[in-house]
């Protein structure tokens, strides 16, 4: 993924302003360490920090049309760019970049071309003919994007908050599936799928249709001119991504360039559930497996860097981002620049353990809709920014537009968890890849219980974070929390600790408003907490908070939150199937 920054309609077009734009753009260089570019026309600037994945030799940005009257700076990948090029036979392309089609599509269709793009993207396009501009973000928000406004009437667009927070009077997240047009004077939704209305679908479940849609989503994401691999936790989602990738890699352009043996990567505390499962899946698929170990102290030491890069104080996002951040650094050191990952499946199929308590298919389906719509604030934000911190691009096939359309059209009755019928969470996905003749995965992996990433890396990771926060946040501080942080008031010492760090990096009110809030159990929305009365007494985003569901759930009689008046810190007592041992240092085995 690249980094983009645009300053549009600013009152100052001096050399000093150019220098300032370049200075702010450098804050995004971690996202694109391969090249930098700047376009300046009148009162508009488009800056770009490039991570070269497609056409590394000539695809530097900004990109232009034939006479350079249209300039565009893009963060993303357009998977159908070759088909689009074929439709633009009367246009002359300067590079092999997949993103160059955007400038030519605008020439051909004006602003009404966004839905033609199959991929993930954030971009700003400037038209010198009338000094107008548009900005757009992909359907789900896989790529991050922020919009801000200056006191001089300027509009700012940036891949990350740190690119504009110091120079804007107000800024916010640019909503996914929207386009901003200077001609129209505001935001308009371009992504309007059937499922967005949250009406209950009735299409019968067809395993082969779902399987084919996912395979197509993976195959199109094998488009790369650089070394790549897969993130493999050993859970269902990442294992399916790895299995389908390994099955279809041979014969692709990527295989001809980099070899047909897939590389896989996993991170965890020594002895963690994910490490064991990932190794088994790797051996089954025949991948070149790289296992990274970290200690609780390694993770704690990285927390400030993680919050700076991921730009959130959300507890579950920080818990999960930290191991991913550490792993990404190791992956980059091996020369890999792109990875495939399994984000999005739990939202689409109701994979979080709290879905066991969904009262009916209507509420089940609405919850999945709400979860998908919020992905840009949680898992998409984590996956993109934790990897981009080290100049790595992550691709998420479960969030392919066509695949989502297929998956969200299935009658939610088929997605419901039904123990009496031996249907666990994500049963339809498991069933779609349960092929007796040509198995994709071993049965026990295909039917492994959901494990949230922040839990799967080792249960003592979260326990260690809580204990560390309790050493730095006192009961007295918690008593005043609502006065110090009236918006999204932290209700645990862990949350308070993260908030202090966030506010130091991003002190603006606009910054704190970009982070979602509200009660959650096992990553639920606030509404879903109503599904089980005891959950409201144990509000923790860990999957182990799904009491009565997770096989290693917290003991409800011993679960202690670090809230005001709760006394000194105490680690949650858990009934764990696996011991957790701290690794002596960050190590790598391949």
């Amino acid at each position: 993924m690249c980094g983009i920054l645009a300053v549009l309609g600013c009152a100052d077009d001096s050399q000093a302003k150019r220098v300032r734009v370049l200075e702010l753009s450098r804050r995004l260089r971690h996202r694109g360490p391969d090249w930098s570019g700047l376009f300046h026309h009148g009162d508009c600037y488009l800056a770009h920090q490039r991570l070269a994945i497609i056409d590394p030799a000539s695809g530097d940005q900004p990109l232009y049309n034939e006479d350079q009257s249209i300039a565009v700076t893009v963060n993303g990948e357009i998977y159908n760019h070759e088909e689009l090029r074929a439709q633009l036979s009367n246009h002359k392309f300067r590079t092999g970049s997949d993103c160059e089609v955007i400038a030519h599509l605008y020439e051909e269709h004006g602003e009404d071309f966004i839905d033609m793009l199959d991929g993930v993207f954030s971009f700003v396009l400037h038209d010198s003919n009338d000094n107008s501009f548009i900005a757009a973000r992909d359907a789900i928000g896989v790529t991050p994007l922020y919009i801000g406004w200056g006191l001089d009437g300027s509009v700012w667009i940036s891949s990350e908050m740190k690119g504009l927070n110091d120079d804007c009077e107000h800024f916010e997240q640019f909503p996914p599936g929207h386009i901003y047009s200077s001609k129209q004077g505001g935001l308009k939704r371009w992504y309007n799928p059937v499922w967005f209305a949250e009406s209950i679908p009735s299409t019968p479940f067809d395993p082969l249709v779902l399987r084919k849609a996912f395979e197509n989503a993976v195959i199109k994401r094998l488009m790369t001119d650089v070394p790549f691999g897969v993130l493999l936790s050993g859970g269902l989602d990442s294992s399916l991504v790895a299995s389908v990738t390994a099955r279809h890699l041979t014969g692709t352009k990527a295989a001809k360039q980099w070899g047909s043996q897939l590389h896989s990567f996993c991170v965890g505390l020594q002895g963690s559930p994910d490490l064991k499962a990932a190794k088994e899946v790797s051996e089954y698929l025949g991948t070149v497996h790289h296992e990274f170990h970290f200690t609780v102290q390694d993770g704690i030491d990285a927390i400030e860097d993680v919050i700076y890069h991921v730009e959130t104080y959300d507890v579950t996002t920080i818990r999960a981002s930290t191991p991913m951040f550490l792993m990404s650094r190791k992956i980059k050191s091996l020369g890999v620049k792109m990875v495939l990952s399994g984000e999005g499946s739990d939202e689409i199929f109701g994979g979080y353990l709290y879905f066991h308590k969904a009262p009916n298919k209507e509420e089940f389906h609405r919850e999945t809709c709400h979860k998908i719509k919020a992905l840009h604030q949680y898992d998409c934000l984590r996956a993109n920014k934790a990897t981009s911190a080290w100049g790595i691009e992550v691709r998420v096939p479960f969030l392919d537009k066509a695949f989502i359309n297929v998956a969200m059209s299935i009658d939610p009755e088929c997605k419901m968890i039904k123990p009496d019928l031996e249907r666990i969470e994500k049963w339809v996905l498991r069933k779609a890849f349960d092929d007796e003749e040509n198995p994709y995965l071993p049965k026990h992996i295909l039917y492994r219980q959901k494990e949230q990433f922040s839990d799967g890396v080792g249960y003592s990771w979260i326990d260690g974070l809580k204990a560390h926060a309790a050493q730095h946040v006192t009961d007295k501080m918690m008593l005043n929390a609502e006065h110090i942080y009236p918006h999204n008031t932290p209700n645990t010492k862990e949350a308070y600790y993260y908030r202090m760090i966030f506010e130091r990096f991003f002190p603006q009110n606009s910054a704190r408003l970009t982070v979602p809030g509200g009660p959650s159990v096992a990553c639920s929305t606030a509404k879903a907490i109503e599904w089980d009365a005891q959950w409201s007494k144990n509000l923790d985003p860990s999957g182990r908070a799904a009491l009565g569901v997770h096989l290693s759930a917290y003991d409800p009689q011993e679960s202690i939150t670090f809230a005001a008046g709760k006394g000194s810190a105490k680690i949650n007592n858990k009934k764990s199937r696996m011991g957790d041992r701290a690794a002596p240092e960050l190590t790598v085995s391949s």
Side-chain angles (χ1 to χ4, degrees):
M1 291 294 174
C2 304
I4 66 172
L5 173 66
V7 184
L8 306 149
C10 59
D12 181 4
D13 64 353
S14 66
Q15 178 64 21
K17 187 65 173 183
R18 182 185 181 94
V19 170
R20 178 58 176 166
V21 173
L22 287 170
E23 178 187 349
L24 293 172
S25 179
R26 282 194 290 271
R27 295 184 183 181
L28 309 177
R29 185 164 289 174
H30 54 275
R31 298 186 60 85
D34 297 333
W35 194 253
S36 302
L38 178 67
F39 166 82
H40 176 209
H41 178 85
D43 59 0
C44 294
Y45 299 83
L46 304 185
H48 191 266
Q49 301 288 343
R50 187 185 186 206
L51 179 66
I53 303 293
I54 303 297
D55 186 22
S58 67
D60 295 337
Q61 296 194 36
L63 297 161
Y64 304 91
N65 66 334
E66 293 87 343
D67 64 3
Q68 298 196 12
S69 62
I70 310 298
V72 61
T73 180
V74 190
N75 169 36
E77 302 290 341
I78 309 302
Y79 302 121
N80 64 335
H81 74 104
E82 291 183 349
E83 299 95 297
L84 293 172
R85 281 174 182 254
Q87 298 171 23
L88 298 164
S89 56
N90 59 324
H91 290 255
K92 182 179 179 180
F93 288 82
R94 297 170 175 269
T95 76
S97 169
D98 54 299
C99 295
E100 190 180 346
V101 295
I102 292 174
H104 299 281
L105 286 170
Y106 173 81
E107 273 194 298
E108 200 74 23
H109 302 283
E111 298 179 359
D112 299 323
F113 71 91
I114 313 298
D115 204 26
M116 299 171 66
L117 302 174
D118 183 7
V120 296
F121 51 82
S122 296
F123 70 81
V124 180
L125 180 150
H126 180 266
D127 185 345
S128 300
N129 295 303
D130 57 6
N131 203 35
S132 64
F133 67 88
I134 60 172
R137 189 179 184 187
D138 65 74
I140 304 299
V142 173
T143 60
L145 198 64
Y146 295 81
I147 182 170
W149 294 267
L151 286 173
D152 61 353
S154 56
V155 176
W156 295 60
I157 308 288
S158 177
S159 293
E160 294 186 2
M161 191 159 55
K162 60 183 66 68
L164 51 67
N165 64 311
D166 287 336
D167 289 56
C168 289
E169 183 69 13
H170 174 74
F171 55 90
E172 58 194 48
Q173 286 210 30
F174 192 109
H178 280 72
I179 178 174
Y180 183 96
S181 167
S182 64
K183 293 178 181 178
Q184 304 300 323
L187 289 157
K188 181 179 71 172
R189 169 168 288 282
W190 66 264
Y191 178 58
N192 294 288
V194 173
W195 66 266
F196 217 82
E198 301 180 16
S199 56
I200 311 303
S202 58
T203 304
F205 167 52
D206 186 327
L208 295 182
V209 170
L210 187 64
R211 181 195 299 181
K212 184 63 176 176
F214 184 66
E215 289 186 319
N216 288 341
V218 172
I219 291 168
K220 72 177 68 170
R221 282 163 176 77
L222 301 183
M223 177 185 81
T224 178
D225 292 330
V226 298
F228 79 103
V230 295
L231 303 185
L232 179 61
S233 70
L236 174 67
D237 307 328
S238 66
S239 297
L240 284 178
V241 172
S243 178
V244 174
T245 301
R247 186 169 292 205
H248 292 281
L249 181 57
T250 303
T252 64
K253 180 183 175 183
K256 293 174 183 176
Q257 286 183 288
W258 309 109
S260 58
Q261 191 170 20
L262 183 64
H263 286 251
S264 57
F265 309 95
C266 184
V267 67
L269 302 178
Q270 217 33 295
S272 68
D274 280 1
L275 293 181
K276 179 182 178 182
K279 185 176 182 180
E280 185 175 359
V281 174
S282 168
E283 291 173 351
Y284 182 82
L285 298 177
T287 69
V288 179
H289 192 55
H290 308 267
E291 182 178 287
F292 307 139
H293 303 157
F294 76 103
T295 67
V296 172
Q297 190 61 52
D298 289 329
I300 289 171
D301 290 343
I303 288 293
E304 291 205 9
D305 284 339
V306 168
I307 292 174
Y308 173 76
H309 280 287
V310 181
E311 302 180 322
T312 188
Y313 51 82
D314 176 69
V315 169
T316 188
T317 302
I318 294 168
R319 288 175 176 178
S321 294
T322 305
M324 199 169 198
F325 175 86
L326 295 172
M327 175 171 57
S328 296
R329 188 175 191 180
K330 284 294 184 181
I331 292 172
K332 186 60 181 287
S333 73
L334 297 175
V336 172
K337 295 177 73 173
M338 185 272 282
V339 291
L340 276 72
S341 190
E343 279 76 17
S345 172
D346 291 313
E347 287 74 15
I348 294 169
F349 296 104
Y352 292 108
L353 297 183
Y354 72 89
F355 275 94
H356 280 249
K357 301 297 181 74
N360 53 59
K361 72 176 187 179
E362 290 80 13
E363 288 207 39
F364 187 105
H365 181 71
R366 280 192 286 269
E367 179 73 3
T368 61
C369 292
H370 296 164
K371 292 291 291 181
I372 296 171
K373 291 176 182 179
L375 266 169
H376 67 287
Q377 297 176 304
Y378 296 101
D379 285 20
C380 287
L381 179 142
R382 165 184 56 79
N384 185 284
K385 292 183 180 178
T387 53
S388 292
W390 300 107
I392 291 177
E393 175 177 304
V394 65
R395 296 181 180 177
V396 284
F398 279 109
L399 296 180
D400 180 80
K401 279 197 302 180
F403 177 74
I404 292 176
N405 287 341
V406 170
M408 293 302 288
S409 69
I410 298 172
D411 186 337
E413 185 69 31
C414 302
K415 296 181 180 180
M416 293 278 286
I417 294 101
K418 299 181 178 180
D420 55 321
L421 298 177
E422 298 186 347
R423 292 185 182 182
I424 63 173
E425 66 277 353
K426 294 186 285 195
W427 176 80
V428 292
L429 182 62
R430 301 174 198 271
K431 187 67 176 176
F433 286 91
D434 193 349
D435 189 329
E436 297 286 350
E437 295 184 4
N438 192 13
Y440 284 79
L441 293 169
K443 283 276 190 181
H444 64 283
I445 295 293
L446 190 62
Y447 289 93
R448 181 190 178 197
Q449 185 182 63
K450 163 67 185 174
E451 194 76 84
Q452 286 171 212
F453 184 55
S454 54
D455 286 329
V457 298
Y459 296 146
S460 60
W461 166 233
I462 292 177
D463 296 339
L465 284 174
K466 291 180 176 180
H468 176 76
Q471 293 173 356
H472 291 80
V473 179
T474 66
D475 291 344
K476 189 175 182 180
M477 292 165 71
M478 290 301 300
L479 286 172
N480 295 321
E482 63 181 315
H483 303 294
I484 303 298
Y485 304 118
H487 176 75
N488 283 346
T489 302
N491 59 7
T492 68
K493 291 186 176 181
E494 184 186 5
Y496 196 107
Y497 179 66
Y498 299 154
R499 186 64 172 272
M500 288 192 299
I501 298 171
F502 177 89
E503 297 271 346
R504 182 155 32 91
F505 289 130
F506 309 104
Q508 300 86 356
N509 185 56
S510 291
R512 63 183 66 99
L513 295 176
T514 65
V515 182
S520 175
V521 61
C523 289
S524 73
T525 65
K527 175 67 176 174
I529 293 173
E530 300 172 6
W531 294 350
D532 190 301
Q534 65 175 328
W535 285 352
S536 61
K537 304 172 185 177
N538 190 48
L539 298 177
D540 190 290
S542 167
R544 291 181 292 152
L547 305 179
V549 178
H550 196 291
L551 298 179
S552 295
Y554 295 142
D555 186 331
Q557 294 183 342
E558 294 295 328
S559 183
I560 304 294
T561 58
F562 301 109
K566 294 293 184 181
S568 59
K570 182 176 181 181
I571 298 296
N572 281 318
N573 182 22
K574 60 184 181 295
K575 304 169 183 175
S576 179
R577 297 167 292 167
M578 288 190 170
D580 293 312
R581 295 167 293 147
E585 59 185 5
L586 187 65
T587 58
V588 183
S589 60
S590 301

